Amino acid sequence: MIGRAFPLPSADVDAARPPSLCEVLLWMAGDTFHWLYNGHHRYPPAPGEESFTDMNIRHLRQFTGDRVKVFQFNKDQERLNGADWEMWIHNRSHGVGLRIQAKKAAKNGRYPFAHVVKKQNVYQCDLLVQHAHAVGCVPVYVLYNHGGQEGADERQSVPAGLLCGHVAADGSHWGCTLLSAYRVQSEIGRKLDGHSLRHSVLAGQSLPWNQVLCDRRDPAESRAPRSGHDVLRGMFAAVQGLTRSGLKQSPEYSAEPTPSHGTWGDAAYADTPYEEGIDPMAVLRDGPRPLPAHVLQLLEAHEAEPPPPPVPTAATVLIDVSDEVPPEPWNPSEGCVRYR
């Protein structure tokens, strides 16, 4: 980040283990938080959403070693769907998938939630939900936030079964937060009824992504380290809680055609099958699900030659939390851009 000293994850070269995913996500949130703040208030212009997403995916690949595989796809394809990228937390046989759309906070704290994909003439949030269901994922937004937002110091984490309370002393753990796409859909529906879109309310109901996806094996409150199985089930429960919370706070949400400029029968949805009465919690029942075919193919594929995704996306990130992942010697000096 610009103009502020901020340590890299586990910057000790003699560290006995590579950093946890929680540590990496916490650091990435801080980097995003300060980078965006400075872009808005000290060294404009602020980078775009794609720049933050590209850098964060790069950091995930860099700091987590053999635990992560990253597949980049044709960037032009992202315009055809509602997701920037896809993330799967897995143990090589089961997992939980997130279909992710990034939104950057403007200087005044507003987000482009009401973005319409012009080619399909449909709200982006509707495409995000539609395509998430098509690939067995949970639809979420990642919000890129900064410290200059109105009400940023008053955020309260909604109850969602969070795995940890790991925070940054300066509040920069709010730099990257997760928000249920169903909550955004209901707010768009409220907007179509003539109300203002409540940006601060949506931001306040998002959760720091490291607290939702904490993989720490030795939490302070536990007497014994968590196994990979426990880590995966814990993340699953946290994502489940995030989604349930979004649905509970979205009484107007319906699994039938959602507020949009199109309908489920229009060409906007022609590329993806849609079933009437789809259950938004179907992918979050009975624990982590068997990995779908396209994820199993990616696990066996080379990162430079991935098979085409079933639904276009900019990138797919696979994070292995199983016990069998061999620790890779980690060099904190490799390839990181340090902003001063």
Side-chain angles (χ1 to χ4, degrees):
M1 79 258 84
I2 303 171
R4 187 184 182 103
F6 197 75
L8 292 169
S10 299
D12 180 5
V13 295
D14 296 321
R17 61 167 178 81
S20 67
L21 176 62
C22 181
E23 289 173 299
V24 173
L25 293 175
L26 184 63
W27 179 84
M28 288 161 54
D31 191 56
T32 299
F33 185 87
H34 295 295
W35 190 12
L36 184 54
Y37 177 85
N38 281 298
H40 281 319
H41 298 278
R42 298 181 64 185
Y43 310 109
E49 290 164 359
E50 185 174 340
S51 296
F52 282 109
T53 296
D54 286 346
M55 186 62 74
N56 283 332
I57 290 177
R58 176 172 175 255
H59 285 150
L60 273 174
R61 182 66 186 89
Q62 176 185 340
F63 292 123
T64 49
D66 288 345
R67 290 175 291 161
V68 167
K69 293 184 75 173
V70 175
F71 298 91
Q72 301 285 148
F73 298 101
N74 185 344
K75 291 289 185 179
D76 290 337
Q77 291 180 321
E78 193 274 333
R79 294 178 300 171
L80 303 177
N81 64 67
D84 274 334
W85 52 300
E86 200 171 302
M87 177 193 289
W88 284 87
I89 313 293
H90 68 94
N91 63 5
R92 305 184 191 180
S93 64
H94 292 70
V96 57
L98 304 178
R99 190 83 174 177
I100 303 172
Q101 174 64 51
K103 291 298 175 189
K104 179 192 73 175
K107 185 176 181 179
N108 63 3
R110 293 178 177 270
Y111 306 81
F113 286 125
H115 176 67
V116 174
V117 181
K118 293 182 180 179
K119 186 173 182 179
Q120 287 93 342
N121 193 34
V122 64
Y123 277 113
Q124 191 180 49
C125 63
D126 294 334
L127 286 179
L128 174 61
V129 169
Q130 175 74 356
H131 289 98
H133 285 299
V135 291
C137 283
V138 179
V140 298
Y141 282 82
V142 58
L143 307 185
Y144 298 142
N145 308 304
H146 58 86
Q149 294 171 247
E150 181 180 354
D153 296 332
E154 301 174 1
R155 286 196 181 99
Q156 298 292 327
S157 294
V158 296
L162 294 180
L163 296 181
C164 76
H166 302 140
V167 300
D170 61 358
S172 62
H173 55 287
W174 288 105
C176 296
T177 58
L178 297 178
L179 175 67
S180 172
Y182 302 120
R183 184 66 188 87
V184 176
Q185 278 191 318
S186 68
E187 194 68 15
I188 294 295
R190 184 177 179 275
K191 177 179 180 294
L192 292 175
D193 286 335
H195 300 282
S196 298
L197 203 157
R198 299 171 297 180
H199 299 266
S200 61
V201 170
L202 290 176
Q205 293 171 352
S206 65
L207 299 169
W209 65 354
N210 73 292
Q211 294 182 355
V212 177
L213 301 175
C214 181
D215 66 335
R216 295 289 289 269
R217 297 298 182 97
D218 53 350
E221 66 276 8
S222 175
R223 295 182 179 180
R226 293 194 297 165
S227 66
H229 175 77
D230 293 336
V231 166
L232 181 58
R233 289 196 67 86
M235 290 186 185
F236 175 89
V239 171
Q240 186 182 56
L242 177 72
T243 305
R244 281 177 174 164
S245 178
L247 289 168
K248 287 178 181 178
Q249 296 176 57
S250 308
E252 296 179 8
Y253 171 74
S254 169
E256 300 304 319
T258 52
S260 69
H261 290 271
T263 67
W264 295 111
D266 287 346
Y269 301 94
D271 294 335
T272 305
Y274 173 72
E275 297 179 4
E276 292 292 334
I278 194 168
D279 181 359
M281 294 299 294
V283 297
L284 287 170
R285 287 204 179 91
D286 303 323
R289 306 183 75 191
L291 295 176
H294 76 284
V295 175
L296 292 174
Q297 287 180 336
L298 290 176
L299 285 176
E300 301 299 324
H302 191 281
E303 287 178 290
E305 299 177 347
V311 175
T313 190
T316 298
V317 178
L318 308 180
I319 302 176
D320 191 342
V321 296
S322 64
D323 295 320
E324 293 77 20
V325 182
E328 180 185 80
W330 181 68
N331 184 352
S333 65
E334 286 185 357
C336 181
V337 178
R338 297 298 300 273
Y339 297 97
R340 298 183 182 276

mmCIF file with all atom_site columns, all heavy atoms in Angstrom, residues 31 65 103 109 114 125 176-177 182 198 227 244 246 264 269 282 304 316:
data_model
loop_
_atom_site.group_PDB
_atom_site.id
_atom_site.type_symbol
_atom_site.label_atom_id
_atom_site.label_alt_id
_atom_site.label_comp_id
_atom_site.label_asym_id
_atom_site.label_entity_id
_atom_site.label_seq_id
_atom_site.pdbx_PDB_ins_code
_atom_site.Cartn_x
_atom_site.Cartn_y
_atom_site.Cartn_z
_atom_site.occupancy
_atom_site.B_iso_or_equiv
_atom_site.pdbx_formal_charge
_atom_site.auth_seq_id
_atom_site.auth_comp_id
_atom_site.auth_asym_id
_atom_site.auth_atom_id
_atom_site.pdbx_PDB_model_num
ATOM 1   N N   . ASP A 1 31  ? -3.824  -4.362  2.769   1.00 0.00 ? 31  ASP A N   1
ATOM 2   C CA  . ASP A 1 31  ? -3.199  -3.771  1.592   1.00 0.00 ? 31  ASP A CA  1
ATOM 3   C C   . ASP A 1 31  ? -4.248  -3.060  0.737   1.00 0.00 ? 31  ASP A C   1
ATOM 4   O O   . ASP A 1 31  ? -4.057  -1.929  0.277   1.00 0.00 ? 31  ASP A O   1
ATOM 5   C CB  . ASP A 1 31  ? -2.512  -4.868  0.786   1.00 0.00 ? 31  ASP A CB  1
ATOM 6   C CG  . ASP A 1 31  ? -1.618  -4.316  -0.323  1.00 0.00 ? 31  ASP A CG  1
ATOM 7   O OD1 . ASP A 1 31  ? -0.724  -3.520  -0.009  1.00 0.00 ? 31  ASP A OD1 1
ATOM 8   O OD2 . ASP A 1 31  ? -1.832  -4.683  -1.482  1.00 0.00 ? 31  ASP A OD2 1
ATOM 9   N N   . GLY A 1 65  ? 1.660   -21.058 -1.686  1.00 0.00 ? 65  GLY A N   1
ATOM 10  C CA  . GLY A 1 65  ? 2.442   -22.166 -2.220  1.00 0.00 ? 65  GLY A CA  1
ATOM 11  C C   . GLY A 1 65  ? 1.626   -23.245 -2.897  1.00 0.00 ? 65  GLY A C   1
ATOM 12  O O   . GLY A 1 65  ? 0.716   -22.972 -3.678  1.00 0.00 ? 65  GLY A O   1
ATOM 13  N N   . LYS A 1 103 ? -16.747 -5.441  -5.935  1.00 0.00 ? 103 LYS A N   1
ATOM 14  C CA  . LYS A 1 103 ? -17.254 -4.074  -5.998  1.00 0.00 ? 103 LYS A CA  1
ATOM 15  C C   . LYS A 1 103 ? -16.354 -3.169  -5.152  1.00 0.00 ? 103 LYS A C   1
ATOM 16  O O   . LYS A 1 103 ? -16.132 -3.428  -3.972  1.00 0.00 ? 103 LYS A O   1
ATOM 17  C CB  . LYS A 1 103 ? -18.700 -3.991  -5.481  1.00 0.00 ? 103 LYS A CB  1
ATOM 18  C CG  . LYS A 1 103 ? -19.716 -4.674  -6.378  1.00 0.00 ? 103 LYS A CG  1
ATOM 19  C CD  . LYS A 1 103 ? -19.777 -4.035  -7.756  1.00 0.00 ? 103 LYS A CD  1
ATOM 20  C CE  . LYS A 1 103 ? -20.704 -4.776  -8.709  1.00 0.00 ? 103 LYS A CE  1
ATOM 21  N NZ  . LYS A 1 103 ? -20.588 -4.282  -10.091 1.00 0.00 ? 103 LYS A NZ  1
ATOM 22  N N   . GLY A 1 109 ? -18.152 6.291   -0.586  1.00 0.00 ? 109 GLY A N   1
ATOM 23  C CA  . GLY A 1 109 ? -18.645 5.077   0.058   1.00 0.00 ? 109 GLY A CA  1
ATOM 24  C C   . GLY A 1 109 ? -19.708 4.330   -0.709  1.00 0.00 ? 109 GLY A C   1
ATOM 25  O O   . GLY A 1 109 ? -20.242 3.335   -0.215  1.00 0.00 ? 109 GLY A O   1
ATOM 26  N N   . ALA A 1 114 ? -25.926 -1.577  -8.647  1.00 0.00 ? 114 ALA A N   1
ATOM 27  C CA  . ALA A 1 114 ? -27.024 -1.607  -9.612  1.00 0.00 ? 114 ALA A CA  1
ATOM 28  C C   . ALA A 1 114 ? -26.529 -1.680  -11.054 1.00 0.00 ? 114 ALA A C   1
ATOM 29  O O   . ALA A 1 114 ? -27.239 -1.303  -11.977 1.00 0.00 ? 114 ALA A O   1
ATOM 30  C CB  . ALA A 1 114 ? -27.909 -0.376  -9.429  1.00 0.00 ? 114 ALA A CB  1
ATOM 31  N N   . CYS A 1 125 ? -26.190 -8.618  -10.590 1.00 0.00 ? 125 CYS A N   1
ATOM 32  C CA  . CYS A 1 125 ? -26.399 -9.492  -9.435  1.00 0.00 ? 125 CYS A CA  1
ATOM 33  C C   . CYS A 1 125 ? -27.251 -10.705 -9.806  1.00 0.00 ? 125 CYS A C   1
ATOM 34  O O   . CYS A 1 125 ? -27.056 -11.800 -9.268  1.00 0.00 ? 125 CYS A O   1
ATOM 35  C CB  . CYS A 1 125 ? -27.025 -8.726  -8.276  1.00 0.00 ? 125 CYS A CB  1
ATOM 36  S SG  . CYS A 1 125 ? -28.671 -8.056  -8.605  1.00 0.00 ? 125 CYS A SG  1
ATOM 37  N N   . CYS A 1 176 ? -11.370 -5.999  2.761   1.00 0.00 ? 176 CYS A N   1
ATOM 38  C CA  . CYS A 1 176 ? -12.029 -6.957  1.864   1.00 0.00 ? 176 CYS A CA  1
ATOM 39  C C   . CYS A 1 176 ? -13.095 -7.684  2.672   1.00 0.00 ? 176 CYS A C   1
ATOM 40  O O   . CYS A 1 176 ? -12.768 -8.392  3.629   1.00 0.00 ? 176 CYS A O   1
ATOM 41  C CB  . CYS A 1 176 ? -11.037 -7.965  1.289   1.00 0.00 ? 176 CYS A CB  1
ATOM 42  S SG  . CYS A 1 176 ? -9.764  -7.253  0.233   1.00 0.00 ? 176 CYS A SG  1
ATOM 43  N N   . THR A 1 177 ? -14.352 -7.500  2.299   1.00 0.00 ? 177 THR A N   1
ATOM 44  C CA  . THR A 1 177 ? -15.442 -8.129  3.027   1.00 0.00 ? 177 THR A CA  1
ATOM 45  C C   . THR A 1 177 ? -16.345 -8.892  2.067   1.00 0.00 ? 177 THR A C   1
ATOM 46  O O   . THR A 1 177 ? -16.409 -8.582  0.876   1.00 0.00 ? 177 THR A O   1
ATOM 47  C CB  . THR A 1 177 ? -16.284 -7.081  3.793   1.00 0.00 ? 177 THR A CB  1
ATOM 48  O OG1 . THR A 1 177 ? -16.809 -6.124  2.876   1.00 0.00 ? 177 THR A OG1 1
ATOM 49  C CG2 . THR A 1 177 ? -15.428 -6.372  4.839   1.00 0.00 ? 177 THR A CG2 1
ATOM 50  N N   . TYR A 1 182 ? -27.667 -12.483 -2.410  1.00 0.00 ? 182 TYR A N   1
ATOM 51  C CA  . TYR A 1 182 ? -29.114 -12.414 -2.219  1.00 0.00 ? 182 TYR A CA  1
ATOM 52  C C   . TYR A 1 182 ? -29.509 -11.119 -1.512  1.00 0.00 ? 182 TYR A C   1
ATOM 53  O O   . TYR A 1 182 ? -30.572 -10.557 -1.760  1.00 0.00 ? 182 TYR A O   1
ATOM 54  C CB  . TYR A 1 182 ? -29.595 -13.622 -1.407  1.00 0.00 ? 182 TYR A CB  1
ATOM 55  C CG  . TYR A 1 182 ? -29.254 -14.943 -2.054  1.00 0.00 ? 182 TYR A CG  1
ATOM 56  C CD1 . TYR A 1 182 ? -28.464 -15.870 -1.395  1.00 0.00 ? 182 TYR A CD1 1
ATOM 57  C CD2 . TYR A 1 182 ? -29.707 -15.246 -3.338  1.00 0.00 ? 182 TYR A CD2 1
ATOM 58  C CE1 . TYR A 1 182 ? -28.141 -17.081 -1.992  1.00 0.00 ? 182 TYR A CE1 1
ATOM 59  C CE2 . TYR A 1 182 ? -29.390 -16.453 -3.944  1.00 0.00 ? 182 TYR A CE2 1
ATOM 60  C CZ  . TYR A 1 182 ? -28.603 -17.367 -3.261  1.00 0.00 ? 182 TYR A CZ  1
ATOM 61  O OH  . TYR A 1 182 ? -28.281 -18.545 -3.859  1.00 0.00 ? 182 TYR A OH  1
ATOM 62  N N   . ARG A 1 198 ? -29.296 1.523   -0.370  1.00 0.00 ? 198 ARG A N   1
ATOM 63  C CA  . ARG A 1 198 ? -28.609 1.819   0.891   1.00 0.00 ? 198 ARG A CA  1
ATOM 64  C C   . ARG A 1 198 ? -27.215 1.192   0.910   1.00 0.00 ? 198 ARG A C   1
ATOM 65  O O   . ARG A 1 198 ? -27.013 0.086   1.394   1.00 0.00 ? 198 ARG A O   1
ATOM 66  C CB  . ARG A 1 198 ? -29.460 1.322   2.064   1.00 0.00 ? 198 ARG A CB  1
ATOM 67  C CG  . ARG A 1 198 ? -30.833 1.987   2.135   1.00 0.00 ? 198 ARG A CG  1
ATOM 68  C CD  . ARG A 1 198 ? -31.731 1.338   3.157   1.00 0.00 ? 198 ARG A CD  1
ATOM 69  N NE  . ARG A 1 198 ? -32.021 -0.056  2.833   1.00 0.00 ? 198 ARG A NE  1
ATOM 70  C CZ  . ARG A 1 198 ? -32.794 -0.848  3.569   1.00 0.00 ? 198 ARG A CZ  1
ATOM 71  N NH1 . ARG A 1 198 ? -33.370 -0.367  4.668   1.00 0.00 ? 198 ARG A NH1 1
ATOM 72  N NH2 . ARG A 1 198 ? -33.012 -2.097  3.218   1.00 0.00 ? 198 ARG A NH2 1
ATOM 73  N N   . SER A 1 227 ? -8.099  -30.407 12.308  1.00 0.00 ? 227 SER A N   1
ATOM 74  C CA  . SER A 1 227 ? -7.710  -31.188 11.142  1.00 0.00 ? 227 SER A CA  1
ATOM 75  C C   . SER A 1 227 ? -8.186  -30.473 9.884   1.00 0.00 ? 227 SER A C   1
ATOM 76  O O   . SER A 1 227 ? -8.992  -29.530 9.938   1.00 0.00 ? 227 SER A O   1
ATOM 77  C CB  . SER A 1 227 ? -8.344  -32.578 11.208  1.00 0.00 ? 227 SER A CB  1
ATOM 78  O OG  . SER A 1 227 ? -9.765  -32.476 11.093  1.00 0.00 ? 227 SER A OG  1
ATOM 79  N N   . ARG A 1 244 ? -27.365 -17.539 4.944   1.00 0.00 ? 244 ARG A N   1
ATOM 80  C CA  . ARG A 1 244 ? -28.616 -17.508 5.694   1.00 0.00 ? 244 ARG A CA  1
ATOM 81  C C   . ARG A 1 244 ? -28.900 -16.109 6.225   1.00 0.00 ? 244 ARG A C   1
ATOM 82  O O   . ARG A 1 244 ? -30.040 -15.629 6.195   1.00 0.00 ? 244 ARG A O   1
ATOM 83  C CB  . ARG A 1 244 ? -28.545 -18.497 6.857   1.00 0.00 ? 244 ARG A CB  1
ATOM 84  C CG  . ARG A 1 244 ? -28.765 -19.940 6.441   1.00 0.00 ? 244 ARG A CG  1
ATOM 85  C CD  . ARG A 1 244 ? -28.621 -20.866 7.622   1.00 0.00 ? 244 ARG A CD  1
ATOM 86  N NE  . ARG A 1 244 ? -28.970 -22.236 7.260   1.00 0.00 ? 244 ARG A NE  1
ATOM 87  C CZ  . ARG A 1 244 ? -28.642 -23.290 7.997   1.00 0.00 ? 244 ARG A CZ  1
ATOM 88  N NH1 . ARG A 1 244 ? -27.946 -23.123 9.125   1.00 0.00 ? 244 ARG A NH1 1
ATOM 89  N NH2 . ARG A 1 244 ? -28.986 -24.508 7.612   1.00 0.00 ? 244 ARG A NH2 1
ATOM 90  N N   . GLY A 1 246 ? -27.918 -13.321 4.891   1.00 0.00 ? 246 GLY A N   1
ATOM 91  C CA  . GLY A 1 246 ? -28.330 -12.499 3.763   1.00 0.00 ? 246 GLY A CA  1
ATOM 92  C C   . GLY A 1 246 ? -29.772 -12.736 3.381   1.00 0.00 ? 246 GLY A C   1
ATOM 93  O O   . GLY A 1 246 ? -30.510 -11.806 3.053   1.00 0.00 ? 246 GLY A O   1
ATOM 94  N N   . TRP A 1 264 ? -36.325 -14.884 -16.755 1.00 0.00 ? 264 TRP A N   1
ATOM 95  C CA  . TRP A 1 264 ? -35.545 -16.122 -16.863 1.00 0.00 ? 264 TRP A CA  1
ATOM 96  C C   . TRP A 1 264 ? -35.653 -16.742 -18.247 1.00 0.00 ? 264 TRP A C   1
ATOM 97  O O   . TRP A 1 264 ? -34.810 -17.515 -18.658 1.00 0.00 ? 264 TRP A O   1
ATOM 98  C CB  . TRP A 1 264 ? -36.021 -17.115 -15.811 1.00 0.00 ? 264 TRP A CB  1
ATOM 99  C CG  . TRP A 1 264 ? -35.766 -16.662 -14.423 1.00 0.00 ? 264 TRP A CG  1
ATOM 100 C CD1 . TRP A 1 264 ? -36.686 -16.282 -13.488 1.00 0.00 ? 264 TRP A CD1 1
ATOM 101 C CD2 . TRP A 1 264 ? -34.498 -16.518 -13.798 1.00 0.00 ? 264 TRP A CD2 1
ATOM 102 N NE1 . TRP A 1 264 ? -36.071 -15.908 -12.315 1.00 0.00 ? 264 TRP A NE1 1
ATOM 103 C CE2 . TRP A 1 264 ? -34.724 -16.058 -12.480 1.00 0.00 ? 264 TRP A CE2 1
ATOM 104 C CE3 . TRP A 1 264 ? -33.181 -16.722 -14.207 1.00 0.00 ? 264 TRP A CE3 1
ATOM 105 C CZ2 . TRP A 1 264 ? -33.704 -15.804 -11.584 1.00 0.00 ? 264 TRP A CZ2 1
ATOM 106 C CZ3 . TRP A 1 264 ? -32.160 -16.479 -13.301 1.00 0.00 ? 264 TRP A CZ3 1
ATOM 107 C CH2 . TRP A 1 264 ? -32.425 -16.023 -12.021 1.00 0.00 ? 264 TRP A CH2 1
ATOM 108 N N   . TYR A 1 269 ? -30.448 -15.408 -20.156 1.00 0.00 ? 269 TYR A N   1
ATOM 109 C CA  . TYR A 1 269 ? -30.218 -16.617 -19.376 1.00 0.00 ? 269 TYR A CA  1
ATOM 110 C C   . TYR A 1 269 ? -30.133 -17.862 -20.248 1.00 0.00 ? 269 TYR A C   1
ATOM 111 O O   . TYR A 1 269 ? -30.133 -18.979 -19.754 1.00 0.00 ? 269 TYR A O   1
ATOM 112 C CB  . TYR A 1 269 ? -31.339 -16.791 -18.348 1.00 0.00 ? 269 TYR A CB  1
ATOM 113 C CG  . TYR A 1 269 ? -31.448 -15.637 -17.405 1.00 0.00 ? 269 TYR A CG  1
ATOM 114 C CD1 . TYR A 1 269 ? -32.321 -14.596 -17.656 1.00 0.00 ? 269 TYR A CD1 1
ATOM 115 C CD2 . TYR A 1 269 ? -30.643 -15.558 -16.273 1.00 0.00 ? 269 TYR A CD2 1
ATOM 116 C CE1 . TYR A 1 269 ? -32.414 -13.516 -16.803 1.00 0.00 ? 269 TYR A CE1 1
ATOM 117 C CE2 . TYR A 1 269 ? -30.720 -14.477 -15.416 1.00 0.00 ? 269 TYR A CE2 1
ATOM 118 C CZ  . TYR A 1 269 ? -31.602 -13.464 -15.679 1.00 0.00 ? 269 TYR A CZ  1
ATOM 119 O OH  . TYR A 1 269 ? -31.688 -12.392 -14.837 1.00 0.00 ? 269 TYR A OH  1
ATOM 120 N N   . ALA A 1 282 ? -29.577 -24.944 -1.401  1.00 0.00 ? 282 ALA A N   1
ATOM 121 C CA  . ALA A 1 282 ? -29.384 -26.345 -1.812  1.00 0.00 ? 282 ALA A CA  1
ATOM 122 C C   . ALA A 1 282 ? -27.916 -26.751 -1.771  1.00 0.00 ? 282 ALA A C   1
ATOM 123 O O   . ALA A 1 282 ? -27.590 -27.894 -1.422  1.00 0.00 ? 282 ALA A O   1
ATOM 124 C CB  . ALA A 1 282 ? -29.956 -26.564 -3.211  1.00 0.00 ? 282 ALA A CB  1
ATOM 125 N N   . ALA A 1 304 ? -1.280  -23.550 -16.779 1.00 0.00 ? 304 ALA A N   1
ATOM 126 C CA  . ALA A 1 304 ? -1.129  -22.825 -18.042 1.00 0.00 ? 304 ALA A CA  1
ATOM 127 C C   . ALA A 1 304 ? -2.051  -23.347 -19.135 1.00 0.00 ? 304 ALA A C   1
ATOM 128 O O   . ALA A 1 304 ? -2.221  -22.690 -20.167 1.00 0.00 ? 304 ALA A O   1
ATOM 129 C CB  . ALA A 1 304 ? 0.324   -22.901 -18.517 1.00 0.00 ? 304 ALA A CB  1
ATOM 130 N N   . THR A 1 316 ? -10.311 -19.014 -11.781 1.00 0.00 ? 316 THR A N   1
ATOM 131 C CA  . THR A 1 316 ? -10.751 -19.974 -10.778 1.00 0.00 ? 316 THR A CA  1
ATOM 132 C C   . THR A 1 316 ? -9.575  -20.257 -9.852  1.00 0.00 ? 316 THR A C   1
ATOM 133 O O   . THR A 1 316 ? -8.472  -20.559 -10.313 1.00 0.00 ? 316 THR A O   1
ATOM 134 C CB  . THR A 1 316 ? -11.239 -21.287 -11.413 1.00 0.00 ? 316 THR A CB  1
ATOM 135 O OG1 . THR A 1 316 ? -12.366 -21.007 -12.258 1.00 0.00 ? 316 THR A OG1 1
ATOM 136 C CG2 . THR A 1 316 ? -11.665 -22.285 -10.339 1.00 0.00 ? 316 THR A CG2 1
#
